[in-house]
Amino acid sequence: MTSAFALLLTRGRSGTDGAERARAAVAGSHSASEGRISLGWSGPEATGQVWRCLVVGRLWSRIDAAELLESEGPAALARLRGRFALLAWQPGGGRAVVAVDQLGAGAVYLHEDGGTLAAATELAELLRLLPRRPGPDKTAVVRWLAGGSLERGQTHYERVRRLEGGHVIEIDGDSWGSRRYWSLGYDSVLPVSEAEAAEKVREGVASAVRRRVRGMEAPGVLLSGGIDSASVAAAGKLARSLPPRPYSAVFPQHPTIDESGLISTVAEGLGLESRTFAVGAGSMVVPGIEYLRTWSVPSVSPNLFVHRPLLRAAREEGVDVLLDGQGGDELFGCAAYLLADRLRGGRVLSAVELARRLPGVGLAPSGQAVRRLLREFGLKGVLPLAVHRAARRLRHASRYSAPWLTVESSRIAVESDPAWSWKGLDGPRWWAHRADEVTMQRERMGAHDFLRRKNALTGLVGGHPFLDDLDLIQLVLRLPPELSFDPELDRPLLREVRVGDDDLLHAVGVEHRGQVLDPAERAQPVVGPRLQRDEADHVDRRVHLVDERVMDVLDVLAGPDQHR
C-alpha cells in the first residue's frame, strides 16, 4: 500500500470528530486523535519513546527520523536526505510536526480557514478532506497559462498552498506555525581542475544513483540518446550486479527528433538491450483528462501519451523504480550570468571572452551575437533587482506579457511574475541564478509533482538523481563556473565523465558534437528554451481563444461545490 497521511485540526474541538474524515481522505488503514489533532494515514510508522513518525517517500540518509526529533527537535530535519513528506506526533501530547524535504520533492498541501488547519500529502486528498471544494485562484491560473509556473507554494485553488521545500509546520495544542528549517547558501568555489571536477561529478552521480536503487529489486531507466539518461544508466549498471532495464521512445516518422541511433550506441556500449516503443501520432487529450480527473490539476506536460506505453511496460515487467535523467539540462547547464559577475568586477575583456564561449554560439560567433549576449547576461545581470521591479511598474504591463492576454490578465501576469527574483539570493550572480534554477524554480514549475504523479498513474516510483538529490546539487554549485562554458557543447563537464574503463559518455558527446547549431541560430545559445517560428505563428492564430481557455480552466478547477 502506498503511504499517505492527512491531518485536521480545529480550534476548540476534539480531534475525535475528524479522525475518520482524515483516514477516509487518504483511503488509509489507520486513524488517531491527539487532543485537537485528527490523523489518518496508510503505511508503516516508526515509534520512538516520545514521537511516532510516518515518512511518505524515501529517505536516503540512514537516520531514524523519530529518534532525530526526540534528540534534537525539528531543526535537525536539515540532516535528513531524501524525497519525503513527514508527519510526526506525540501520543497524548497534543503536538505534531509536518515537513517536506529541503527541495520540496515530497509534497504536503495545506488549507487554513480561520481556526481550522487541514493537511494532506496529495492535493486530491486534501480536497476530499475539506467540507467544501475551494474555488480556483484566478491569479494562479492566469500565471500558469501565461508563464507555465506558479509562485512557490501557490496552487490552482484559493487558500490552498503547497508547503515549500525546507519548511516545517509545528503544531502545539490549538496553535500552529510554519517556519524554514533549511535554506541553500552560497559556499566558496572548490579549487579544482577540470579533470578533478569531472571526477567529483562522476562520484556524485554514482552516489546519487546508488541511493535510488538501494533496496530495490528491479530498477529500470528511461533511456534517450542524450548525455543525461546515458550517465544515469551507466551509473545504475555500476551500482548493481543486475543493471537497470532500459526503456526508450523512438520516432521513426520524425527523423529530426528520432534518436534511435544514439540509443543503440548507448545501450550497446553499456551491454544493455533497450526496449523501444515507436511513437507516431497520439492524442494529448485523453491522458490529459485522466491526469486532471485523478489529481485535480492539469498536467504541466503534453507528452503523457508518449511516456504512458513505456511506463506501463515497465510496470508489467516488474520494475520497482524507474530512473531517468530529468533535470540534467539545468543541473549541468551553463552559468551564463558569470558574464555579469565579470562586468561587476571590471573584467570587461573576460566577459567578452566568456560570451564567445557560451554553449551553442559556435567557434566563430559574430560580433552582433556577442554584443547581444553581453547585453542579456552581462548588463541585465548587473542591474539590481529593484531596477527591474521599478521598470515593470513604470511601463505598461503589455510590454512584459503575452499579446493574447486581456488588460486585467496582463496586469496579473506581470505583477506575479518572479522574473529576476533570483537576484534576491546572496552570492555571485552566476550562483544565484543557478541555485534558483535547480531548487526553487523546480517547485514553481511543478516538476516534482508532475513526475511523481505521472509514474503513480501506472503504479511506478520514479528515481530522479539530477532533480532531487541535495548532495549532488550542492556539489555542482561549488564547481568552478568557467567549466560550464563550451562554444559547441552544452553540459561539457558531464561529457568529460568516464564510466569504468569506457569513455562511453565522451562518445555520446562526440555524437552530439556534430549537432551544433546552424550559423543562423548561433546567436541564440543553448541556455534556455527558444520559441520556434512556427510555434509563434501558432500562438498568433490562437490569440482570440486564450481568455476563453482561462475561463475553461477556472471552471474545471472549480467543479461542483461539494460537501464531504
Side-chain angles (χ1 to χ4, degrees):
M1 177 183 291
T2 302
S3 296
F5 65 75
L7 176 150
L8 186 64
L9 185 155
T10 303
R11 291 192 178 108
R13 292 180 59 182
S14 168
T16 306
D17 298 337
E20 180 57 28
R21 284 174 56 194
R23 185 200 64 77
V26 295
S29 53
H30 306 283
S31 63
S33 300
E34 302 295 342
R36 311 292 190 196
I37 305 170
S38 303
L39 303 172
W41 72 93
S42 59
E45 74 272 15
T47 303
Q49 294 182 352
V50 179
W51 292 89
R52 295 178 71 182
C53 184
L54 175 70
V55 174
V56 176
R58 287 191 67 191
L59 291 177
W60 321 134
S61 51
R62 301 177 185 271
I63 301 175
D64 186 284
E67 293 181 0
L68 186 68
L69 286 169
E70 290 181 5
S71 61
E72 301 182 41
L77 292 171
R79 292 177 51 196
L80 296 177
R81 293 292 184 272
R83 181 185 64 242
F84 63 85
L86 178 145
L87 168 66
W89 68 97
Q90 291 183 355
R95 294 185 62 198
V97 169
V98 176
V100 294
D101 61 84
Q102 295 91 329
L103 299 175
V108 169
Y109 292 88
L110 306 164
H111 182 268
E112 298 179 69
D113 185 9
T116 300
L117 170 69
T121 44
E122 256 304 345
L123 179 58
E125 297 165 354
L126 179 69
L127 297 179
R128 288 195 292 268
L129 183 60
L130 300 177
R132 293 180 182 274
R133 188 184 185 94
D137 184 324
K138 185 174 182 179
T139 298
V141 173
V142 168
R143 179 175 169 183
W144 183 77
L145 285 172
S149 68
L150 301 175
E151 286 281 357
R152 190 165 172 244
Q154 190 178 40
T155 74
H156 294 80
Y157 292 88
E158 291 180 329
R159 307 189 73 171
V160 175
R161 66 185 181 96
R162 190 184 190 277
L163 188 60
E164 298 97 325
H167 280 72
V168 58
I169 301 287
E170 296 182 74
I171 302 170
D172 190 352
D174 275 352
S175 64
W176 66 82
S178 173
R179 68 175 180 86
R180 179 186 293 275
Y181 72 83
W182 175 88
S183 61
L184 182 64
Y186 175 69
D187 204 349
S188 59
V189 173
L190 295 172
V192 294
S193 65
E194 183 177 18
E196 292 169 333
E199 178 60 20
K200 286 186 176 295
V201 168
R202 187 194 69 81
E203 294 173 356
V205 171
S207 296
V209 173
R210 275 197 301 270
R211 286 189 276 271
R212 280 148 187 80
V213 301
R214 183 187 300 139
M216 310 305 284
E217 296 181 357
V221 61
L222 289 176
L223 184 65
S224 70
I227 193 71
D228 301 321
S229 62
S231 59
V232 170
K237 180 182 179 182
L238 294 177
R240 295 175 56 89
S241 56
L242 183 63
R245 183 178 301 168
Y247 297 85
S248 304
V250 295
F251 303 85
Q253 298 177 23
H254 305 279
T256 58
I257 62 172
D258 185 54
E259 295 189 330
S260 301
L262 287 172
I263 291 170
S264 297
T265 298
V266 174
E268 291 172 6
L270 292 172
L272 304 175
E273 183 177 351
S274 182
R275 287 207 54 189
T276 58
F277 297 79
V279 179
S283 171
M284 296 181 289
V285 176
V286 173
I289 291 175
E290 178 189 4
Y291 188 99
L292 179 60
R293 287 176 174 169
T294 303
W295 306 114
S296 298
V297 287
S299 169
V300 301
S301 169
N303 295 330
L304 288 170
F305 78 97
V306 174
H307 296 134
R308 193 158 57 169
L310 284 71
L311 301 181
R312 285 177 173 169
R315 179 59 179 169
E316 291 170 359
E317 294 175 6
V319 168
D320 50 9
V321 61
L322 191 62
L323 303 168
D324 61 37
Q326 291 284 347
D329 285 359
E330 297 81 19
L331 183 59
F332 299 104
C334 182
Y337 286 97
L338 184 59
L339 274 67
D341 293 307
R342 291 290 194 261
L343 292 181
R344 292 172 85 191
R347 300 172 61 185
V348 177
L349 293 180
S350 177
V352 172
E353 178 60 27
L354 285 173
R356 298 177 66 86
R357 293 175 52 221
L358 273 164
V361 300
L363 296 176
S366 68
Q368 180 182 4
V370 171
R371 287 191 296 273
R372 192 174 66 82
L373 295 172
L374 284 169
R375 179 177 181 272
E376 186 67 30
F377 301 109
L379 296 177
K380 286 186 179 181
V382 166
L383 293 175
L385 177 58
V387 173
H388 295 289
R389 290 177 172 171
R392 289 186 170 230
R393 287 195 302 270
L394 294 173
R395 293 168 173 168
H396 196 276
S398 61
R399 180 185 178 98
Y400 299 100
S401 63
W404 35 260
L405 289 175
T406 64
V407 174
E408 180 188 6
S409 294
S410 292
R411 179 188 58 77
I412 292 173
V414 171
E415 289 179 355
S416 62
D417 188 353
W420 306 106
S421 62
W422 53 268
K423 290 187 176 183
L425 298 178
D426 292 332
R429 288 287 198 254
W430 72 264
W431 182 90
H433 180 262
R434 298 273 288 117
D436 179 85
E437 188 177 35
V438 298
T439 57
M440 292 177 282
Q441 178 65 4
R442 290 171 171 178
E443 291 183 79
R444 292 191 290 262
M445 295 292 293
H448 301 298
D449 292 334
F450 169 73
L451 292 172
R452 181 185 68 255
R453 292 164 176 161
K454 180 188 75 170
N455 285 300
L457 285 173
T458 52
L460 284 170
V461 174
H464 320 293
F466 295 160
L467 197 74
D468 56 20
D469 194 283
L470 180 59
D471 290 341
L472 180 59
I473 287 173
Q474 289 180 316
L475 166 66
V476 174
L477 289 176
R478 293 196 64 196
L479 296 177
E482 297 85 356
L483 300 180
S484 65
F485 286 75
D486 186 293
E488 292 188 287
L489 297 174
D490 64 341
R491 292 157 290 171
L493 191 58
L494 185 60
R495 298 180 191 277
E496 293 301 319
V497 173
R498 296 181 65 89
V499 180
D501 295 328
D502 299 322
D503 205 5
L504 173 67
L505 301 189
H506 180 67
V508 176
V510 170
E511 289 287 341
H512 281 286
R513 187 180 292 274
Q515 300 177 17
V516 297
L517 301 177
D518 293 333
E521 296 180 301
R522 282 177 178 162
Q524 302 187 48
V526 188
V527 292
R530 293 175 297 171
L531 185 64
Q532 301 299 321
R533 188 171 293 105
D534 57 345
E535 294 175 3
D537 293 341
H538 179 68
V539 169
D540 289 338
R541 288 194 300 271
R542 299 200 57 182
V543 165
H544 65 285
L545 298 177
V546 173
D547 276 302
E548 293 181 16
R549 288 179 60 203
V550 172
M551 297 312 301
D552 288 343
V553 173
L554 290 172
D555 290 341
V556 170
L557 290 173
D561 190 19
Q562 301 177 31
H563 291 268
R564 303 284 182 183

